[in-house]
Amino acid sequence: MTKLPVAICQAAPIPLAIGAGITKAAELSEKAIKDGAKLVAFGETFLGGYPLWLDESPGAALWDHPGTRACHAIMLENAIVANDERLLPLQELCDAHDACISIGAHERVRSSLYNNQLMLRPGEAPLDHRKLVPTHGERLIWMRGDGSTLGVHQAEWGKVGNLICWEHWMPLARAAMHNLGEAVHVAAWPTVREEYALNSRHYAFEGRCFVLAAGLVQQKADLFEGLELAETGNADVDAARELIEAIGSDVLNRGGSFIAAPDARVLAQAGEDEETLHAELDLSEIGANLTSLDTDGHYSRPDVFELSVDTRAKDGVNWSSE
């Protein structure tokens, strides 16, 4: 296959309410796949929504802030877990149509949350990629991933991988992914502002791969809607509502998704509203562009620079009978 149809579902998540978000993601994915897409991408933490109160609500980072504590408890209550049966509608789409879906989610491992960009693929378990370094205020919510989830999926048409947001400014993470030989890369962002667009096009040029820069559309009203639909357990819902109410802006994420070719040109560009962006990728462009630049091969200097990647899972606790 040299021509690969792909799509970005630039859509509003249903914040906090991951069950309802999966239903919406399945509907969007099904339409995109029926319109021909073999790879469908969603933005960062589409399942659960980006935690915008960290950036937008005054005082959210203060110690023991009631609203932040409440939202964290709700996120834990709703987060996906390993072998989560709620993901089956997405998995069944992949299996039935020989397609892949890249989608961001809040994931719970024991009692901690991770930012996970899942790659669902036909006939196999989802491929995890947990964000290596949560950025700034995100560290109040997400644990750091490890090298065990730095990988790619081998599809019949080539390799596809993910990185999340500011991981694209980690030179060694980029080098590791380029070494894995991606034909297509999903760059998951909360919104694709100008510097994120420059970064994504740079990744395409540097890695000689196609890049799907996927962003979200999110408004303050979406946070209230999600709070009503989420499983809240014993969380202080009133405190969570007050935290959201304190956010000053109505429009919080503005889309801007696009699809870039290996020479960094833009093949398709979305606006600021919800839409599904389609493009057909000519995979033969990759080889032609490698003529002048292969950062993992003839344009590298392994005699000067060497990168080691530790792919062991770092769980922190190892049980042994010996």
Side-chain angles (χ1 to χ4, degrees):
M1 181 188 293
T2 59
K3 299 294 179 70
L4 178 69
V6 300
I8 297 174
C9 292
Q10 178 175 284
I14 304 176
L16 303 171
I18 283 182
I22 291 171
T23 299
K24 180 171 183 176
E27 292 171 354
L28 290 168
S29 297
E30 182 175 23
K31 185 177 187 310
I33 289 170
K34 286 184 175 178
D35 288 341
K38 286 296 185 181
L39 171 63
V40 179
F42 290 82
E44 180 177 5
T45 57
F46 180 84
L47 299 179
Y50 189 77
L52 285 158
W53 56 86
L54 295 176
D55 296 327
E56 304 288 347
S57 186
L62 292 176
W63 190 266
D64 277 347
H65 189 287
T68 302
R69 288 164 55 91
C71 284
H72 193 88
I74 294 168
M75 290 167 69
L76 282 168
E77 183 80 16
N78 289 267
I80 65 164
V81 295
N83 303 313
D84 200 316
E85 293 187 355
R86 292 176 296 173
L87 293 171
L88 282 176
L90 294 171
Q91 184 63 53
E92 289 168 355
L93 282 171
C94 295
D95 294 342
H97 299 279
D98 194 27
C100 295
I101 299 171
S102 171
I103 191 164
H106 301 281
E107 178 195 26
R108 180 172 182 164
V109 179
R110 301 199 298 274
S111 296
S112 287
L113 290 167
Y114 288 85
N115 179 339
N116 191 348
Q117 187 76 18
L118 294 157
M119 181 68 69
L120 292 101
R121 59 257 180 91
E124 298 183 68
L127 183 68
D128 294 315
H129 172 62
R130 299 183 184 120
K131 194 171 190 177
L132 292 170
V133 183
T135 302
H136 199 50
E138 295 174 357
R139 295 170 195 174
L140 292 170
I141 290 181
W142 293 317
M143 181 133 174
R144 302 199 304 176
D146 58 39
S148 68
T149 67
L150 197 65
V152 295
H153 167 61
Q154 176 68 66
E156 62 177 9
W157 42 262
K159 294 178 180 178
V160 56
N162 306 307
L163 286 177
I164 306 168
C165 202
W166 280 32
E167 285 185 312
H168 292 88
W169 275 293
M170 298 175 69
L172 300 185
R174 295 200 312 270
M177 295 301 290
H178 298 333
N179 177 256
L180 292 173
E182 294 171 295
V184 182
H185 175 79
V186 176
W189 304 94
T191 187
V192 189
R193 55 175 65 114
E194 181 182 10
E195 61 269 34
Y196 299 177
L198 290 170
N199 185 293
S200 300
R201 292 178 67 190
H202 173 272
Y203 191 101
F205 190 91
E206 179 183 76
R208 288 316 203 215
C209 61
F210 291 90
V211 170
L212 278 60
L216 308 173
V217 175
Q218 197 166 333
Q219 299 187 19
K220 180 177 176 179
D222 297 326
L223 289 163
F224 287 115
E225 177 191 2
L227 183 61
E228 294 300 318
L229 294 172
E231 298 291 334
T232 55
N234 295 320
D236 187 344
V237 177
D238 288 338
R241 191 176 291 110
E242 289 177 12
L243 179 72
I244 296 167
E245 186 60 54
I247 294 173
S249 302
D250 291 328
V251 180
L252 301 169
N253 280 330
R254 299 177 179 272
S257 303
F258 68 89
I259 298 168
D263 61 359
R265 76 186 190 282
V266 175
L267 302 175
Q269 174 73 61
E272 295 187 355
D273 298 321
E274 290 191 276
E275 64 175 289
T276 296
L277 191 66
H278 286 268
E280 184 175 73
L281 312 184
D282 183 355
L283 299 178
S284 68
E285 289 189 32
I286 295 172
N289 280 282
L290 286 167
T291 304
S292 56
L293 178 67
D294 178 6
T295 56
D296 186 59
H298 66 73
Y299 219 85
S300 68
R301 284 293 304 273
D303 57 324
V304 179
F305 306 108
E306 184 176 349
L307 171 62
S308 297
V309 181
D310 187 346
T311 59
R312 294 173 296 172
K314 305 296 177 63
D315 291 329
V317 177
N318 297 297
W319 293 85
S320 173
S321 60
E322 296 181 2

